[in-house]
């Protein structure tokens, strides 16, 4: 089963509130480029083309779902009172300004830069620092030189290299001390040159990827949205489990030693302190279950909507059979498929 490609939901003109929704899956790459005029790689453009309708799942009556491939009148864009993109970046802001969306209903360039800095992978250090009392994991190291990066790899033994900004599953390499290739060295040098640093983390043996989805409110509070169990392949996202919260907790409990309620409360508090009213909107925290059933509580913070949020909108509210939501490339286009788990 998959949803058809849709175009634009035309607004009800009598509606006072009018929200514009945009699925911009190239957001993380756009953060790295940090340009007003940014051309996404082919995969990003194709995701845009094929899955631009996704916000239909959470849009309300009278909203506009803009796929960027359809013509929307300037008067319609000027009537927008709120914008909810997948994620905010300079390229999207510039595009919407050109299309006629009023600056007053969007963040400023300066505010978008704040969001970009909050999205830097160094920020997992701050989050983990506040959780270390309850979770025994080593803090990542931000390295601004090749010598620092080599020392960090030697310290961890088995390490994960990450660029500060990159799309899910990209900008990540796995290395071991004494087995760093010339390609790895060249990649690190390039990342440091382009993005100012490279993140080096301890590589843990993993049993399961999962995450928690949240929403940062305008008043500075952060609310828990739901548990996210997802499937990856080679570090890249493949799909999400569609199940009730109770069913997902049982799946997690079968492999992990974790108090979900306690962890979500800790993260709500920690994220609220970290964000300090500088961002409002959906966000997600990627985690993993390590060997022995212990939890790594913050592998990554995604300061945007995630596929986990999409899965929450498609998940059953009762005891229906659990399924999996996958994004599949057919060789010609991308499809969202719901299949048996």
């Amino acid at each position: 089963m998959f949803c058809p490609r849709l175009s634009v939901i035309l607004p009800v003109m009598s509606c006072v509130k009018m929200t514009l929704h945009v699925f911009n899956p190239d957001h993380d790459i756009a953060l790295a480029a940090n340009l007003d005029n940014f051309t996404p790689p082919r995969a990003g453009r194709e995701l845009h083309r094929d899955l631009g309708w996704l916000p239909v799942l959470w849009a309300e009556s009278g909203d506009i779902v803009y796929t960027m491939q359809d013509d929307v009148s300037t008067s319609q864009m000027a009537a927008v009172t709120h914008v909810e993109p997948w994620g905010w970046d300079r390229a999207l802001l510039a595009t919407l300004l050109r299309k006629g969306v009023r600056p007053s209903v969007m963040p400023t360039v300066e505010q978008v830069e704040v969001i970009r800095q909050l999205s830097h992978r160094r920020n997992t250090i701050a989050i983990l620092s506040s959780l270390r009392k309850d979770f025994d994991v080593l803090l990542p190291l931000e390295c601004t030189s090749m010598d620092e990066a080599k020392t960090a790899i030697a310290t961890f033994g088995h390490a994960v290299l990450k660029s500060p900004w990159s799309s899910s599953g990209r900008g990540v390499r796995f290395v071991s001390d004494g087995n760093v290739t010339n390609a790895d060295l060249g990649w690190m040098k390039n990342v440091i040159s382009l993005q100012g640093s490279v993140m080096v983390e301890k590589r843990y043996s993993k049993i399961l990827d999962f995450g928690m989805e949240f929403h940062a409110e305008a008043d500075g509070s952060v609310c828990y949205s739901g548990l996210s169990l997802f499937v990856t392949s080679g570090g890249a996202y493949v799909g999400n489990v569609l199940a009730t919260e109770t069913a997902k907790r049982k799946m997690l409990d079968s492999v992990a030693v974790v108090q979900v309620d306690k962890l979500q409360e800790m993260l709500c508090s920690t994220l609220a302190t970290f964000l300090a009213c500088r961002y409002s909107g959906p966000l997600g925290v990627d985690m993993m279950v390590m060997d022995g059933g212990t939890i790594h509580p913050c592998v990554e913070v995604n300061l945007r909507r995630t596929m986990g949020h999409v899965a929450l909108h498609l998940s059953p509210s009762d005891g229906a059979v659990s399924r999996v939501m996958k994004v599949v490339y057919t060789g010609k286009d991308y499809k969202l498929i719901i299949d048996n788990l």
Side-chain angles (χ1 to χ4, degrees), residues 211-214 223-228 245 248 264 308-309 312:
M212 289 185 180
E213 311 304 339
F214 300 88
C223 301
Y224 174 71
S225 300
L227 196 60
S228 179
E245 185 78 358
K248 286 182 288 189
Q264 73 185 48
H309 287 96
L312 291 177

Side-chain angles (χ1 to χ4, degrees), residues 131-179:
L131 301 173
R132 290 188 76 193
K133 179 180 177 181
D134 296 272
F135 297 91
D136 185 21
V137 291
L138 296 175
L139 297 180
L141 296 173
E142 183 181 11
C143 304
T144 58
S145 70
M146 290 296 289
D147 285 342
E148 287 182 1
K150 291 175 184 177
T151 299
I153 293 170
T155 298
F156 291 134
H158 299 285
V160 184
L161 310 178
K162 296 181 179 180
S163 56
W165 296 280
S166 68
S167 61
S168 179
R170 304 291 182 90
V172 177
R173 296 175 82 98
F174 302 97
V175 298
S176 298
D177 185 32
N179 191 30

Side-chain angles (χ1 to χ4, degrees), residues 51-107:
L51 299 181
W53 55 266
L54 273 181
V56 167
L57 298 174
W58 54 88
E60 298 179 0
S61 176
D63 289 353
I64 299 175
V65 175
Y66 178 43
T67 66
M68 292 196 189
Q69 292 168 64
D70 305 274
D71 291 327
V72 180
S73 69
T74 302
S75 60
Q76 284 179 311
M77 287 298 202
V80 167
T81 61
H82 185 61
V83 182
E84 289 192 10
W86 190 257
W88 279 113
D89 52 66
R90 278 181 60 181
L92 178 66
L93 179 62
T95 296
L96 295 182
L97 286 171
R98 288 195 298 268
K99 293 294 182 180
V101 179
R102 290 171 294 148
S104 61
V105 303
M106 296 190 291

Side-chain angles (χ1 to χ4, degrees), residues 173-226:
R173 296 175 82 98
F174 302 97
V175 298
S176 298
D177 185 32
N179 191 30
V180 180
T181 67
N182 288 332
D184 294 326
L185 294 172
W187 182 87
M188 285 190 288
K189 184 176 181 180
N190 187 54
V191 169
I192 292 172
S193 175
L194 292 175
Q195 299 192 25
S197 64
V198 64
M199 302 302 300
V200 183
E201 304 176 5
K202 172 69 177 177
R203 182 180 182 182
Y204 293 99
S205 182
K206 178 176 61 178
I207 297 175
L208 177 72
D209 289 296
F210 77 105
M212 289 185 180
E213 311 304 339
F214 300 88
H215 194 279
E217 307 297 338
D219 64 4
S221 63
V222 174
C223 301
Y224 174 71
S225 300

Side-chain angles (χ1 to χ4, degrees), residues 200-272:
V200 183
E201 304 176 5
K202 172 69 177 177
R203 182 180 182 182
Y204 293 99
S205 182
K206 178 176 61 178
I207 297 175
L208 177 72
D209 289 296
F210 77 105
M212 289 185 180
E213 311 304 339
F214 300 88
H215 194 279
E217 307 297 338
D219 64 4
S221 63
V222 174
C223 301
Y224 174 71
S225 300
L227 196 60
S228 179
L229 301 185
F230 47 86
V231 181
T232 60
S233 177
Y237 170 85
V238 174
N240 270 81
V241 173
L242 302 181
T244 64
E245 185 78 358
T246 298
K248 286 182 288 189
R249 289 193 182 201
K250 287 181 179 178
M251 294 177 199
L252 185 59
D253 288 343
S254 68
V255 294
V257 180
V258 61
Q259 291 179 300
V260 174
D261 291 333
K262 180 180 179 181
L263 178 53
Q264 73 185 48
E265 288 173 6
M266 291 173 66
L267 278 169
C268 283
S269 175
T270 297
L271 290 168

